[in-house]
Amino acid sequence: MSEVVALVTGANRGIGQAFVEELLEQGARVYAGSRDPDAVTTPGAVPVELDVTDPAQVAAAATRCGDVNLLVNNAGLFTNQRLVLTADPDAARREMEINYFGTLAMTRAFAPVLGANGGGQIINVLSVAAIVPTAFMGGYSPAKAAALFLSGITRAELEPQGTKVTALIVGSVATRMSEHVDGHKEDPRDIARAGLKAAAKGELTADTDWMAVDARARLARDPVRYERGLGRLIHKAVLRTGRD
């Protein structure tokens, strides 16, 4: 790939903004997609109004950003609700709409754009919750797992046109999503840097940080024990907060 022309979704904060900043630093041209383009404040980025669940806005972005050769599907939603014993039954549907169907919509819209521009690349920003059922992440975990399968299927379908797909397994990162979480959190720029490096190397699935690598190892050693351990965390949280 010669000059990188990227579109990053959910680009106004967190990991999305970090991708925008890192790409610009590496000399790329960057479209920064956000439901509120005025919230995109990174100098040098081109704001694009983009709600990945809005078909008209997705189609408009594909038309406007016809020179893109790197699509970073980062836009996501975490409602901090349980899946079954939830006070908000619609939360899981909203998480699936953005984390899975939004990623699918963007991939469908930009597949011909990437093909016309030499194949290009797709980076899907996922989560440790995509590789192990994570009870305290409610509908987010199933949605990210679905997006992981989407990544593999996309890779197979778009291989003939030369499009590469890298799925990023991301641990705890210092973003608004993790404000309620204790413990070590990664710098979003480190995640973006690791993700771009993995994509440049052609990695299919990449663990971007210590927590992701540790989770992969624990899952390989004893998947049942690891899953149950994560499940116990939700019970501790319920007891600590009194949340139903």
Side-chain angles (χ1 to χ4, degrees):
M1 191 185 298
S2 51
E3 181 188 29
V4 174
V5 183
L7 169 62
V8 181
T9 67
N12 58 298
R13 62 172 180 263
I15 295 175
Q17 182 175 349
F19 264 102
V20 171
E21 293 170 351
E22 189 64 29
L23 282 161
L24 287 169
E25 188 172 294
Q26 294 183 16
R29 291 193 289 118
V30 185
Y31 297 103
S34 172
R35 286 178 296 177
D36 178 10
D38 292 335
V40 175
T41 59
T42 306
V46 179
V48 175
E49 184 176 13
L50 180 56
D51 178 344
V52 298
T53 68
D54 184 325
Q57 289 190 15
V58 170
T63 299
R64 176 181 176 183
C65 308
D67 51 350
V68 161
N69 54 24
L70 171 61
L71 171 63
V72 181
N73 284 314
N74 166 76
L77 174 67
F78 173 56
T79 64
N80 199 20
Q81 288 285 327
R82 286 188 281 175
L83 182 60
V84 179
L85 303 176
T86 178
D88 184 358
D90 290 329
R93 187 178 300 277
R94 296 196 303 274
E95 288 171 316
M96 189 65 76
E97 285 291 340
I98 293 177
N99 296 310
Y100 173 70
F101 285 110
T103 298
L104 175 58
M106 289 295 297
T107 301
R108 285 173 171 169
F110 276 86
V113 173
L114 295 171
N117 294 327
Q121 292 185 315
I122 298 173
I123 296 175
N124 290 333
V125 181
L126 306 181
S127 166
V128 168
I131 61 174
V132 59
T134 309
F136 58 87
M137 301 191 86
Y140 180 86
S141 184
K144 287 296 188 179
L148 179 58
F149 273 61
L150 166 63
S151 301
I153 294 169
T154 300
R155 187 180 302 116
E157 289 193 9
L158 299 188
E159 183 178 13
Q161 71 174 35
T163 300
K164 299 178 181 179
V165 181
T166 299
L168 303 183
I169 305 302
V170 180
S172 185
V173 186
T175 65
R176 190 177 72 172
M177 173 180 161
S178 65
E179 288 176 346
H180 65 293
V181 178
D182 297 328
H184 175 73
K185 303 172 190 177
E186 304 291 338
D187 187 320
R189 281 294 291 270
D190 289 338
I191 300 299
R193 197 172 295 115
L196 291 171
K197 185 179 294 185
K201 291 167 61 179
E203 294 187 30
L204 307 186
T205 304
D207 300 331
T208 61
D209 55 90
W210 177 87
M211 181 180 178
V213 172
D214 182 66
R216 181 84 64 181
R218 290 173 182 268
L219 189 62
R221 284 198 302 268
D222 193 339
V224 174
R225 182 178 181 182
Y226 185 50
E227 180 181 334
R228 287 179 175 173
L230 291 176
R232 283 194 291 272
L233 291 178
I234 189 174
H235 300 302
K236 291 181 181 179
V238 170
L239 290 174
R240 185 174 67 249
T241 63
R243 183 176 171 186
D244 294 327

